[in-house]
């Protein structure tokens, strides 16, 4: 009688996590981050495609699945002028928290975007954006909640 080995179900894990985050300027992704825990999950691949599509065409986005629809993920995005901030989250991640993640990303990344929106954006500024984005995705996923200043959701 051997116990069955423990197996982590990535599908269950991804239901309440940020799967993908992206920042776009003028319809192009300038930085993106994928949750490493779900990087091989099929839903994460679909979330990446959707996030990139939203960056390319922010006016044609759908934030939440229709009532009764059970997609494995949903998105939130924030458009500020020519800048777009997108997060794709698992189906159990609260939509209002996903919107707060977008708001927080905009506050954190706008100063850096000021340096990368020029035509001569350097690889260093793009890498810096990616590092901040990756760090925030990891932080949100490790805490299981969004900390926005003094308010904790």
């Amino acid at each position: 009688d051997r116990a069955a080995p423990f197996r982590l179900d990535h599908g269950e894990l991804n239901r309440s996590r940020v799967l993908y985050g992206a920042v776009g300027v003028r319809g192009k992704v300038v930085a993106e981050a994928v949750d490493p825990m779900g990087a091989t999950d099929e839903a994460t691949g679909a979330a990446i495609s959707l996030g990139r599509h939203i960056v390319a065409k922010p006016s044609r986005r759908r934030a939440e699945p229709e009532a009764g629809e059970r997609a494995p993920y949903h998105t939130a995005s924030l458009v500020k002028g020519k800048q777009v901030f997108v997060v794709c989250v698992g189906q159990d991640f609260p939509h209002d928290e996903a919107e707060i993640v977008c708001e927080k990303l905009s506050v954190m990344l706008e100063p850096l975007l000021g340096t990368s929106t020029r035509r001569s954006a350097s690889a260093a500024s793009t890498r810096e954006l990616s590092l901040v984005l990756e760090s925030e995705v990891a932080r949100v996923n490790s805490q299981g909640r969004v900390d926005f200043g003094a308010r904790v959701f």
Side-chain angles (χ1 to χ4, degrees):
D1 284 342
R2 292 174 45 175
F6 174 77
R7 290 179 46 132
L8 181 62
D9 181 355
H10 288 283
E12 287 293 316
L13 176 71
N14 288 344
R15 292 171 58 143
S16 60
R17 297 176 67 84
V18 175
L19 304 175
Y20 173 76
V23 179
V25 177
R26 295 185 191 98
K28 297 191 189 266
V29 173
V30 294
E32 59 188 347
V34 176
D35 173 29
M37 292 295 289
T40 60
D41 187 62
E42 185 178 318
T44 301
I48 292 168
S49 294
L50 178 61
R52 289 176 178 167
H53 179 77
I54 290 171
V55 167
K57 299 177 182 174
S59 62
R60 297 185 185 159
R61 70 188 188 282
R62 237 180 79 205
E64 294 184 86
E66 299 281 331
E69 188 179 326
R70 252 341 236 179
Y73 54 85
H74 60 99
T75 65
S77 61
L78 177 64
V79 179
K80 287 188 163 186
K82 297 184 187 286
Q83 301 170 349
V84 182
F85 304 87
V86 179
V87 292
C88 297
V89 296
Q91 64 188 8
D92 293 342
F93 196 99
H95 187 72
D96 58 338
E97 287 188 29
E99 289 175 336
I100 292 169
V101 172
C102 282
E103 290 173 17
K104 186 169 183 183
L105 287 174
S106 77
V107 169
M108 294 170 68
L109 297 174
E110 276 183 304
L112 298 173
L113 282 168
T115 61
S116 70
T117 55
R118 286 186 240 119
R119 291 180 192 251
S120 61
S122 70
S125 63
T126 299
R127 183 66 189 140
E128 193 173 37
L129 284 165
S130 294
L131 288 172
V132 172
L133 188 57
E134 289 168 7
S135 153
E136 186 60 15
V137 167
R139 190 195 64 73
V140 170
N141 285 339
S142 69
Q143 289 186 342
R145 66 177 191 267
V146 178
D147 178 1
F148 195 60
R151 298 171 27 203
V152 175
F153 297 87

